[in-house]
Every structure is written in structure tokens, then in C-alpha cells.
Amino acid sequence: MACCIRRGEPTQPVDDDNWRAVADVVPRDDQRDFVAPSAARYLLLSLREGVWHSLAVCADEEVVGHVMWGWDDDDQSYWIGGMVIDASRQGAGLGRATVLTLVRWLMERPDCQGVRLSVHTSNDLARGLYGSIGFQELKPDEDGEIVAELTRQRFADRVA
């Protein structure tokens, strides 16, 4: 149940060959209020909680980030979580490519009517990115983050 790498797509399963490189991914210092200090925390969540599925973000055969996805039984939605692009590789469109790749892959599932994520209220860069892809902000969640959703129809309208 992992998104496999295909030509031009930047994600692949976390495996025995790349997990150390994924664990070493760190955000910029100014992003640490919004994401974990390293992707190692997200890998542990994936391994221990059984909800999240970690993926390596790759560019030119090199691990440059981490993203995870999961299914929420409560709201019957797919979620994107724990996205971190290494500080040294930010600004090249890798975050956008990662979100688009994962959304496309999730939308191929017949039971996927949309994809959700949450974002810190003061994370203006991420909110701008998600909004430009078509995510609509819904409401703050119980942790005070904003839940945003991209429906199948809205995504189809954006990529058409």
C-alpha cells in the first residue's frame, strides 16, 4: 500500500535502502514550529501507530524529503501528513510536486472522494501552496490547525 516511483514522480516507499536518508531530512529552522525537527519522528509514527504510511520524496535519485498518508475511519477521508522537504532542497518546487503526486495517486482509488490535510494557522507558505493546488480551508481542528480539503471534483477541474 505505498505509492511507487514512476518516471517524473517524486515519491517512493521507505525501504531498507533509504530509511536512514529519510530519517535525516530536516526542515529549515523557521519551520520547526510547524513540523517535526526531523522526518525520523514521522517514520516512527508510521511504524508504531498503524495509521500513517511513510513515503520518501526523491529528486534525481536522492532522498530530499518525507511525506505520509493515511485513512481516517472517522471522516472516511484520505489524509496527507508529515511533509518535510530538506532545508537544503527547498524552493525548487519539490513540495508542490510531492503534494500533486500523492493527491493524484490517492485520487486513483475508487473510494477516494477527496484528500484532507491540516496546516498550522501561521504557516502562510504551506497555506499558500495548498490553496494554489485547490485545497479549500474548512475549519480549525481540535489542535488549532486548519483542516483543508481537496475534493475529487475540484481536483478534476484544476487538472482539466
Side-chain angles (χ1 to χ4, degrees):
M1 290 198 354
C3 182
C4 295
I5 193 165
R6 289 178 270 192
R7 188 161 194 76
E9 294 184 358
T11 59
Q12 67 184 33
V14 175
D15 59 26
D16 290 342
D17 294 328
N18 67 15
W19 74 267
R20 285 180 179 87
V22 174
D24 289 342
V25 169
V26 294
R28 292 189 329 244
D29 288 341
D30 64 325
Q31 295 170 323
R32 292 182 186 216
D33 287 341
F34 311 128
V35 296
S38 79
R41 181 172 196 278
Y42 298 127
L43 287 174
L44 286 172
L45 286 172
S46 295
L47 289 172
R48 303 298 299 172
E49 290 188 344
V51 173
W52 294 104
H53 306 275
S54 283
L55 298 170
V57 177
C58 301
D60 302 321
E61 304 296 320
E62 176 188 354
V63 172
V64 297
H66 170 272
V67 68
M68 59 190 186
W69 66 274
W71 170 260
D72 187 325
D73 284 329
D74 292 338
D75 65 14
Q76 299 290 294
S77 294
Y78 286 98
W79 284 74
I80 295 174
M83 185 172 78
V84 180
I85 303 299
D86 195 78
S88 67
R89 297 301 298 264
Q90 290 188 23
L94 294 168
R96 178 181 201 77
T98 300
V99 172
L100 286 170
T101 297
L102 187 50
V103 165
R104 282 187 189 108
W105 184 75
L106 291 170
M107 291 285 187
E108 289 174 1
R109 296 166 170 262
D111 63 339
C112 183
Q113 295 306 307
V115 176
R116 291 184 172 189
L117 52 78
S118 64
V119 61
H120 195 280
T121 56
S122 59
N123 191 346
D124 295 330
L125 276 173
R127 289 176 73 186
L129 167 66
Y130 301 138
S132 73
I133 291 171
F135 280 87
Q136 291 185 304
E137 293 184 355
L138 303 176
K139 59 182 172 31
D141 68 10
E142 63 271 2
D143 297 324
E145 291 195 345
I146 297 169
V147 174
E149 179 179 54
L150 179 59
T151 63
R152 180 182 288 278
Q153 184 60 52
R154 188 165 174 85
F155 184 66
D157 291 346
R158 295 286 244 190
V159 296

